[in-house]
């Protein structure tokens, strides 16, 4: 089911509303497991990855996804880590300003992609501690899967 593309302002507000109180590997497992459960219930062929800094602490492929989807999650997380914002917001900002993301920042397309589905894990105090990414659906849907699960976990 198609999901409407949010605005840049909506994404900024969403990122602020989804700050996490703490980060530990049980949280990463819970978030990753919830994403996997939702994807499985909806027969979504996705890859899911949760990172602590640059380290992968949860990763899974669902039926229909391929190892190539992990290439996408890795590149989405790289964007989140570098810019401290969702990869969807980075995509929309580059489109709104009319520049090619990879060219403007001199980033190789093999390592960075401005495509929705990567989301920052930021502590309430403002420190980026990790990222979560989904790949396999249209990028706005990848993003929505993450934010819906974070809202549930955080009671937002």
């Amino acid at each position: 089911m198609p999901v409407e593309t949010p605005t840049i302002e909506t994404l900024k507000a969403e990122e602020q509303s989804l700050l996490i109180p703490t980060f530990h590997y049980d949280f990463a497992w819970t978030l990753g497991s919830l994403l996997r459960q939702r994807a499985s219930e909806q027969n979504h062929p996705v890859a899911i990855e949760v990172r602590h800094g640059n380290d992968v602490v949860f990763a899974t492929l669902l039926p229909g996804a391929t190892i190539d989807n992990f290439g996408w999650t890795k590149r989405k997380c790289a964007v989140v880590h570098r810019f401290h914002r969702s990869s969807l917001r980075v995509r929309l900002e580059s489109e709104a300003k009319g520049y090619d993301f990879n060219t403007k920042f001199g980033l190789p397309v093999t390592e960075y992609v401005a495509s929705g589905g990567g989301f920052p894990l930021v502590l309430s105090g403002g420190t980026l501690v990790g990222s979560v990414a989904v790949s396999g659906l249209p990028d706005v849907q990848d993003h929505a899967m993450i934010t819906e699960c974070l809202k549930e976990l955080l009671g937002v």
Side-chain angles (χ1 to χ4, degrees):
M1 177 175 192
V3 176
E4 187 175 320
T5 303
T7 66
I8 293 169
E9 289 306 314
T10 301
L11 291 171
K12 286 180 184 178
E14 182 178 62
E15 290 167 16
Q16 282 301 306
S17 73
L18 295 175
L19 300 176
I20 59 176
T22 186
F23 181 87
H24 44 75
Y25 294 153
D26 285 342
F27 175 83
W29 179 264
T30 301
L31 175 57
S33 297
L34 181 59
L35 282 162
R36 188 180 204 301
Q37 176 187 346
R38 291 293 151 71
S40 180
E41 290 168 354
Q42 298 170 18
N43 295 315
H44 290 323
V46 297
I48 300 163
E49 187 173 295
V50 181
R51 289 176 171 253
H52 178 217
N54 285 320
D55 298 324
V56 177
V57 295
F58 180 96
T60 188
L61 286 174
L62 277 86
T66 70
I67 201 71
D68 293 334
N69 291 107
F70 277 138
W72 283 88
T73 58
K74 179 182 177 187
R75 295 186 302 148
K76 291 175 184 186
C77 284
V79 167
V80 170
H81 186 77
R82 171 133 182 183
F83 294 93
H84 295 212
R85 60 186 64 140
S86 73
S87 57
L88 180 57
R89 182 172 148 202
V90 171
R91 175 176 72 83
L92 295 179
E93 288 170 342
S94 65
E95 288 173 358
K97 293 178 182 174
Y99 59 78
D100 177 82
F101 167 77
N102 294 88
T103 302
K104 177 176 174 77
F105 296 104
L107 300 171
V109 296
T110 56
E111 295 179 38
Y112 296 85
V113 64
S115 177
F119 199 84
L121 297 175
V122 179
L123 295 176
S124 300
T127 303
L128 177 76
V129 291
S131 55
V132 55
V134 170
S135 172
L137 303 172
D139 73 334
V140 174
Q141 288 179 262
D142 286 342
H143 176 92
M145 271 190 66
I146 294 167
T147 57
E148 288 166 11
C149 289
L150 279 170
K151 287 174 184 173
E152 183 177 325
L153 283 179
L154 299 172
V156 176

